[in-house]
Amino acid sequence: QKEVEQNSGPLSVPEGAIASLNCTYSDRVSQSFFWYRQYSGKSPELIMSIYSNGDKEDGRFTAQLNKASQYVSLLIRDSQPSDSATYLCAVNMAGGYQKVTFGTGTKLQVIP
Amino acid sequence: NAGVTQTPKFQVLKTGQSMTLQCAQDMNHNSMYWYRQDPGMGLRLIYYSASEGTTDKGEVPNGYNVSRLNKREFSLRLESAAPSQTSVYFCATWTPPNYNEQFFGPGTRLTVL
């Protein structure tokens, strides 16, 4: 079992719809959770971080964390073509100095 | 401020050649990291440096060496390149004091023939 799992996609949504991206992780004691966006040929950039159970909203983005189910998700409301990218889930696993483990990413395509 | 810079942007090597990837940051961060990114594998940590003068192995350190030259610079060396080291390499730092954001450099695309 991979430590951090994501569906590779592509996930296709029409412009204006809600995109839902999901991530599961294996280490129950993980503390920090991150969502990065990576455009093709570019480096990852942080869009959301979440540390406690529940929802965290930032503009059109909402991160949801459920530690009991070991599940973290990212919702993108009013999806735009510019949101088309690969979204990486990252989890700070226990036992390392800020050593995060990344999922393989979900490719999102927003169709105009 | 340039943030995190990497050189070169692209490199083609032949099997057995050596090279050093350079990374520099102007954010005065203590920690610096080297990742590689391969299709279907995600980002994997090669080495990291928690502070000037210290380095530690990550998930995939074999075939690589690192040097934390000073607080700003962290280099990654391939002594004898192999085709399996064809990848995109990213350098990154964490923001202190809460380490809640990681900044990545633009990456180096390396091909080993």
Side-chain angles (χ1 to χ4, degrees), chain A residues 4 6 10 15 29 32 42 50-51 55 61 64 69 87 102:
Chain A
V4 179
Q6 295 181 256
E15 184 174 353
V29 298
S32 309
K42 301 296 185 182
I50 187 166
Y51 305 98
D55 294 359
F61 298 96
Q64 299 175 317
S69 299
Y87 289 80
F102 286 83

Side-chain angles (χ1 to χ4, degrees), chain A residues 30-45:
Chain A
S30 297
Q31 299 295 319
S32 309
F33 307 86
F34 307 90
W35 282 100
Y36 288 83
R37 178 175 61 200
Q38 186 175 24
Y39 293 113
S40 181
K42 301 296 185 182
S43 56
E45 56 178 331

Side-chain angles (χ1 to χ4, degrees), chain B residues 32-54:
Chain B
M32 298 184 74
Y33 290 68
W34 277 107
Y35 292 94
R36 60 178 288 174
Q37 187 174 36
D38 304 293
M41 298 291 290
L43 281 156
R44 292 181 292 170
L45 182 64
I46 305 171
Y47 271 93
Y48 69 99
S49 171
S51 61
E52 186 179 354
T54 68

Side-chain angles (χ1 to χ4, degrees), chain B residues 4-108:
Chain B
V4 181
T5 58
Q6 292 182 237
T7 55
K9 286 186 169 49
F10 301 92
Q11 185 70 48
V12 178
L13 292 177
K14 294 181 179 178
T15 297
Q17 289 184 317
S18 62
M19 79 161 295
T20 300
L21 282 65
Q22 306 285 355
C23 174
Q25 52 102 2
D26 62 3
M27 295 181 288
N28 202 34
H29 292 170
N30 288 321
S31 62
M32 298 184 74
Y33 290 68
W34 277 107
Y35 292 94
R36 60 178 288 174
Q37 187 174 36
D38 304 293
M41 298 291 290
L43 281 156
R44 292 181 292 170
L45 182 64
I46 305 171
Y47 271 93
Y48 69 99
S49 171
S51 61
E52 186 179 354
T54 68
T55 61
D56 283 288
K57 295 178 180 179
E59 181 185 354
V60 288
N62 291 344
Y64 305 94
N65 286 303
V66 291
S67 295
R68 184 71 183 268
L69 304 171
N70 48 54
K71 191 172 185 178
R72 289 188 65 249
E73 298 172 289
F74 188 37
S75 63
L76 178 71
R77 182 160 179 84
L78 287 70
E79 291 290 351
S80 178
S84 61
Q85 295 178 304
T86 294
S87 188
V88 180
Y89 291 85
F90 289 104
C91 178
T93 72
W94 280 98
T95 55
N98 296 323
Y99 303 99
N100 58 355
E101 183 169 1
Q102 197 164 30
F103 286 96
F104 285 85
T108 295

